[in-house]
Amino acid sequence: MYPRAFEYHRAKSYAEAVSLLSELGEDAKLLAGGQSLIPLMKLRLSTPAHLVDLNFIPGTSYIHRNSAVSLGAMTHHAEIAASADIASIAILHDCAAGIADPQVRNVGTIGGSVAEADPTGDWAPVLMTTGATIKTLGPAGRREIDIHDFIPDAFTTALQPGEVITEITVPLAPDRSGGAYTALKRCAPVYATASIAVQLTLDDDQTCSDLRIYLGVLGLTATRVPAAEDALRGQSVTDQAIARVQDAVLQAAEPVSDMRGSADYKRHAAGALAKLALQAALRRARGEQVEVSHLYA
Ligand SMILES: Cc1cc2nc3c(=O)[nH]c(=O)nc-3n(C[C@H](O)[C@H](O)[C@H](O)COP(=O)(O)OP(=O)(O)OC[C@H]3O[C@@H](n4cnc5c(N)ncnc54)[C@H](O)[C@@H]3O)c2cc1C
């Protein structure tokens, strides 16, 4: 189906995008990669009268690595997956490389994904696990918002009218820390059935000093699993301890049955993903290079 007719505006700076949004009002939408917005417009689920294109603003796609990693909002998933600066922050690489297929990854942006706040999207659980900050520019100036406050609900963000995401900042994990993100999918160009993000920090080769675990896809937002974290924190990372984490994830997951599978299937998928992610995170925390890819079933 064709979208409703709209007027196209090409912003030359974020400041211009902000003033265009303020001027054009509620009927205007920002256009980044268009990978979520254009399908919604074609289905007439979104019918903006004005599109403000961010794609021609210089200097909005970048990856800077200093004491943290800064990702320009218009950075494509594929650029993140291919970046040498990201290769050692394995959890970010796992996420970017696993989104959909090359066509979507080459055009879709991290800023657009965060703004969309789709509960089945891949970035939210990863950015919550890593403690990311979302930087914005709006009519009232610049803001820095913790990712947990930024996405309070499905398809809902803390963005105010006229506000644009400019950057996502991810703090670097401490030494002897490893992260992993994995998901179960039916095939590449679809959203996941279940996903999990894990960041594990070791005191020595066997004792977990810190653990963060977020489930993706199974709720309205990414969900932290404190009981699973408590099952391992301060403990040796043995197969038995990992089994306890798996069990806690199984207990905590509250999926609903839908076309992607029954609630029970998704709960067991989350448990299996927890084991795979933890095993990879442990090896990475020990300095090993480990490939993690999504599972297809
Ligand atoms: C076939 C297909 C499969 C997909 N599979 C997956 C998947 O497995 N996992 C996954 O995570 N995603 C998936 N996606 C979505 C993809 O990751 C998109 O890139 C992402 O959801 C939106 O990014 P975008 O740059 O395309 O944003 P757009 O579609 O252009 O915009 C999305 C929304 O964000 C707003 N917006 C965009 N940029 C900004 C900004 N800087 N500041 C404020 N608001 C902004 C727009 O106004 C719009 O409301 C898939 C998409 C398709 C078409």
Side-chain angles (χ1 to χ4, degrees), residues 30 32-37 77 108-109 113 116 122 165 185 191:
L30 296 169
Q35 296 301 292
S36 293
L37 181 58
H77 310 310
T109 66
S113 293
E116 185 65 15
D122 287 295
I165 298 173
K185 288 186 159 193
Y191 289 83

Side-chain angles (χ1 to χ4, degrees), residues 80-100:
I80 300 171
S83 163
D85 283 327
I86 296 297
S88 61
I89 312 169
I91 190 170
L92 297 184
H93 176 272
D94 295 342
C95 179
I99 290 175

Side-chain angles (χ1 to χ4, degrees), residues 54 143 201 225:
L54 301 174
R143 293 203 294 159
T201 306
V225 195

Side-chain angles (χ1 to χ4, degrees), residues 3-295:
R4 170 192 169 184
F6 57 86
E7 215 172 304
Y8 173 86
H9 308 262
R10 185 174 285 183
K12 291 187 271 324
S13 66
Y14 278 137
E16 190 186 0
V18 170
S19 69
L20 277 167
L21 287 179
S22 305
E23 191 185 301
L24 298 167
E26 277 184 1
D27 253 1
K29 270 206 163 285
L30 296 169
L31 174 68
Q35 296 301 292
S36 293
L37 181 58
I38 300 294
L40 289 174
M41 288 172 63
K42 285 185 166 179
L43 291 166
R44 304 254 173 149
L45 294 171
S46 182
T47 53
H50 301 271
L51 283 190
V52 177
D53 193 349
L54 301 174
N55 284 279
F56 296 87
I57 305 177
T60 54
S61 169
Y62 55 83
I63 299 168
H64 295 155
R65 184 175 172 157
N66 300 305
S67 54
V69 174
S70 304
L71 302 160
M74 290 297 287
T75 311
H76 298 131
H77 310 310
E79 294 173 273
I80 300 171
S83 163
D85 283 327
I86 296 297
S88 61
I89 312 169
I91 190 170
L92 297 184
H93 176 272
D94 295 342
C95 179
I99 290 175
D101 50 27
Q103 288 93 325
V104 173
R105 291 197 290 274
N106 281 331
V107 186
T109 66
I110 186 167
S113 293
V114 172
E116 185 65 15
D118 186 327
T120 60
D122 287 295
W123 278 114
V126 169
L127 295 177
M128 289 190 187
T129 300
T130 53
T133 300
I134 310 303
K135 295 188 178 175
T136 66
L137 178 68
R142 295 190 180 277
R143 293 203 294 159
E144 295 192 7
I145 307 162
D146 186 296
I147 182 73
H148 297 90
D149 300 326
F150 191 82
I151 305 181
D153 208 343
F155 299 106
T156 306
T157 69
L159 282 172
Q160 295 294 315
E163 201 170 16
V164 181
I165 298 173
T166 56
E167 187 178 284
I168 293 95
T169 306
V170 180
L172 295 182
D175 289 344
R176 301 172 77 79
S177 188
Y181 176 71
T182 188
L184 175 71
K185 288 186 159 193
R186 287 165 297 147
C187 61
V190 299
Y191 289 83
T193 302
S195 75
I196 193 158
V198 164
Q199 187 75 38
L200 168 73
T201 306
L202 294 173
D203 262 349
D204 57 44
D205 267 1
Q206 285 302 326
T207 305
C208 164
S209 62
D210 195 21
L211 179 64
R212 263 164 293 147
I213 298 185
Y214 278 81
L215 292 175
V217 186
L218 301 184
L220 294 178
T221 62
T223 319
R224 191 168 187 174
V225 195
E229 298 173 355
D230 292 345
L232 199 58
R233 204 176 282 116
Q235 310 278 321
S236 289
V237 190
T238 58
D239 289 348
Q240 291 87 339
I242 290 178
R244 284 198 297 275
V245 173
Q246 240 186 308
D247 203 39
V249 167
L250 271 166
Q251 302 292 332
E254 291 182 327
V256 291
S257 301
D258 61 17
M259 63 175 183
R260 294 191 178 114
S262 68
D264 212 37
Y265 173 74
K266 292 181 187 181
R267 198 175 296 113
H268 281 88
L273 291 172
K275 181 177 178 181
L276 288 175
L278 265 177
Q279 287 171 333
L282 175 64
R283 292 176 60 194
R284 286 169 168 173
R286 289 173 172 161
E288 287 181 49
Q289 304 279 328
V290 183
E291 279 286 320
V292 171
S293 56
H294 290 352
L295 303 180

